[in-house]
Amino acid sequence: MPLDKKRKPHQLRPPDRIELDEPCFEMRASGELFADYEEYVDALMSYQARTWSCALTGKGKLTFEEAQLSERQAQRKVDEAFPEMYVEPLCRMAHMSQVRMDELIERAFVRLQGFVADEEVQVVRRVADGAAPAGFRWAEQRTARIVQAIGVDEDYWADLDHPVPTSYLIEYLDEDEEGHHAGGM
């Protein structure tokens, strides 16, 4: 919701009591209905004044409708850039958390260094090879999906002190050399 000049979210005014057969005035930007023309014009002038700002980007000196458009565009960019698979785990993490916001953000960043369920990954298998300098060589690379982290319970995202998992149960998404669709690893 756009912010007014006092940097407060805009509150829609309570609707007038308008009968169905009464003429009224509708504010296009907000959907508000006005029975009185003078109130409608005052509100219209307020919405057209360049005193509004976008609540998401902080961009100021906008009309109400420009601020709404800016918020929709910013929200669309966030929705496109932020993968859906992280929404549920991060909501679990933030829900009922009593740590400071900066600490919560830092812990969320650390948690996202690991993988989450349903995330697609590339798995590269090591094969023992005495002729290779390190005693092994990298073999095939395959696409897999994270099924779950190993050694992690349901409260992993709520328990902010739990370490990031390093082992995962996966399911291969592609076929192996023989043409079989592989299961878990």
Side-chain angles (χ1 to χ4, degrees):
M1 186 60 76
L3 305 175
D4 64 16
K5 58 188 163 206
K6 296 175 187 167
R7 307 290 287 173
K8 293 182 181 174
H10 174 64
Q11 297 293 319
L12 296 177
R13 62 187 274 295
D16 292 336
R17 193 142 184 98
I18 301 172
E19 297 298 324
L20 291 175
D21 59 343
E22 274 186 75
C24 63
F25 305 95
E26 180 182 5
M27 185 65 61
R28 179 184 65 189
S30 65
E32 294 168 293
L33 296 177
F34 295 86
D36 182 58
Y37 181 72
E38 296 300 321
E39 287 180 24
Y40 168 76
V41 170
D42 289 342
L44 180 62
M45 298 305 279
S46 169
Y47 287 144
Q48 290 178 345
R50 292 196 168 276
T51 58
W52 299 92
S53 61
C54 174
L56 299 177
T57 64
K59 191 184 307 181
K61 295 186 179 178
L62 304 171
T63 66
F64 185 81
E65 289 183 86
E66 290 170 343
Q68 283 181 317
L69 178 62
S70 176
E71 287 180 0
R72 280 195 301 273
Q73 290 171 340
Q75 188 63 54
R76 191 175 318 116
K77 285 181 183 177
V78 168
D79 291 344
E80 289 170 0
F82 195 78
E84 182 69 29
M85 70 183 121
Y86 295 128
V87 173
E88 188 257 337
L90 289 176
C91 286
R92 276 184 172 192
M93 186 178 193
H95 183 70
M96 303 296 282
S97 174
Q98 295 186 4
V99 299
R100 290 186 338 260
M101 182 61 75
D102 61 332
E103 190 175 337
L104 181 63
I105 291 168
E106 180 65 32
R107 289 181 181 188
F109 178 77
V110 169
R111 288 289 164 91
L112 292 176
Q113 301 305 304
F115 300 107
V116 296
D118 295 327
E119 186 171 358
E120 279 192 22
V121 295
Q122 295 295 314
V123 178
V124 180
R125 196 176 62 149
R126 275 193 330 189
V127 177
D129 184 356
F136 66 89
R137 64 179 171 78
W138 296 107
E140 62 190 17
Q141 178 174 335
R142 297 180 57 196
T143 303
R145 177 184 69 84
I146 300 292
V147 176
Q148 70 182 46
I150 296 175
V152 172
D153 59 7
E154 285 183 16
D155 295 332
Y156 168 70
W157 287 94
D159 179 9
L160 300 179
D161 295 321
H162 197 288
V164 176
T166 56
S167 300
Y168 299 89
L169 179 64
I170 64 168
E171 176 183 39
Y172 286 114
L173 300 177
D174 55 1
E175 296 177 350
D176 60 13
E177 297 85 31
E178 290 81 39
H180 299 102
H181 190 74
M185 178 172 136

